[in-house]
Amino acid sequence: MEQTGPASRLDEAAEVARQYGHHAGRHVFAGIRADHETGVLTLFRVPTHGFDDEVRALIGDDVAVEIVDALHTRAELTVAREMAWSISGDFTVESVVMPDDGSRLRVFITGSEWDAQRQLDDLVPGTADVMVSRRDRLTASVYAGHDRRGQSA
């Protein structure tokens, strides 16, 4: 069934902004969110002259747009995501989560958090945070309070 009304217009505007951001605006575009509850489109971008007005002109005056400053562009984070998959050491990269707001990547690992963060800081400074995966935290909690022989401490 074809959607009509404000929600479809909001989605249409979000897609126009997304396409513009991925192409002509890739040097500043970080992401976009469409809030159907409020009818507001939130555009994340690295501050620059002209981009905001260009996007507003493309999507029209009938959609409310909130523009929010971002730390990183989507293009920059895409490169950082690929680099994050390439690190190796006393850990395993489980997943890399790309934010839609231009903040930092979340790199989930099992193993040495320190080693992984150090490598990311060297390769892609300021773009990624290492998180210990849930599975590794559960394993660590099972062994907490036990010595090497498995005896309670």
Side-chain angles (χ1 to χ4, degrees), residues 2-69:
E2 187 175 323
Q3 192 176 17
T4 61
S8 63
R9 178 64 185 114
L10 188 65
D11 291 336
E12 178 184 297
E15 186 58 26
V16 167
R18 184 177 295 108
Q19 289 300 320
Y20 182 74
H22 283 304
H23 300 287
R26 70 183 167 278
H27 61 288
V28 296
F29 179 74
I32 196 150
R33 291 182 191 154
D35 185 336
H36 292 94
E37 295 282 322
T38 63
V40 175
L41 195 63
T42 305
L43 174 68
F44 300 92
R45 52 72 176 130
V46 174
T48 190
H49 179 69
F51 181 76
D52 301 356
D53 293 336
E54 292 167 1
V55 170
R56 286 182 196 274
L58 284 170
I59 63 172
D61 295 334
D62 59 331
V63 174
V65 179
E66 176 186 17
I67 297 179
V68 178
D69 292 349

Side-chain angles (χ1 to χ4, degrees), residues 13-130:
E15 186 58 26
V16 167
R18 184 177 295 108
Q19 289 300 320
Y20 182 74
H22 283 304
H23 300 287
R26 70 183 167 278
H27 61 288
V28 296
F29 179 74
I32 196 150
R33 291 182 191 154
D35 185 336
H36 292 94
E37 295 282 322
T38 63
V40 175
L41 195 63
T42 305
L43 174 68
F44 300 92
R45 52 72 176 130
V46 174
T48 190
H49 179 69
F51 181 76
D52 301 356
D53 293 336
E54 292 167 1
V55 170
R56 286 182 196 274
L58 284 170
I59 63 172
D61 295 334
D62 59 331
V63 174
V65 179
E66 176 186 17
I67 297 179
V68 178
D69 292 349
L71 296 174
H72 306 286
T73 67
R74 182 142 184 98
E76 179 183 11
L77 290 174
T78 300
V79 170
R81 179 185 60 196
E82 297 308 311
M83 298 293 283
W85 280 110
S86 74
I87 63 174
S88 62
D90 292 338
F91 58 87
T92 301
V93 175
E94 297 286 327
S95 65
V96 180
V97 178
M98 176 88 90
D100 66 353
D101 62 0
S103 60
R104 296 165 60 102
L105 296 172
R106 290 182 297 158
V107 180
F108 290 89
I109 59 112
T110 54
S112 174
E113 182 179 4
W114 181 87
D115 187 25
Q117 188 66 61
R118 183 189 55 76
Q119 286 188 44
L120 286 170
D121 289 345
D122 288 346
L123 282 173
V124 288
T127 61
D129 292 316
V130 170

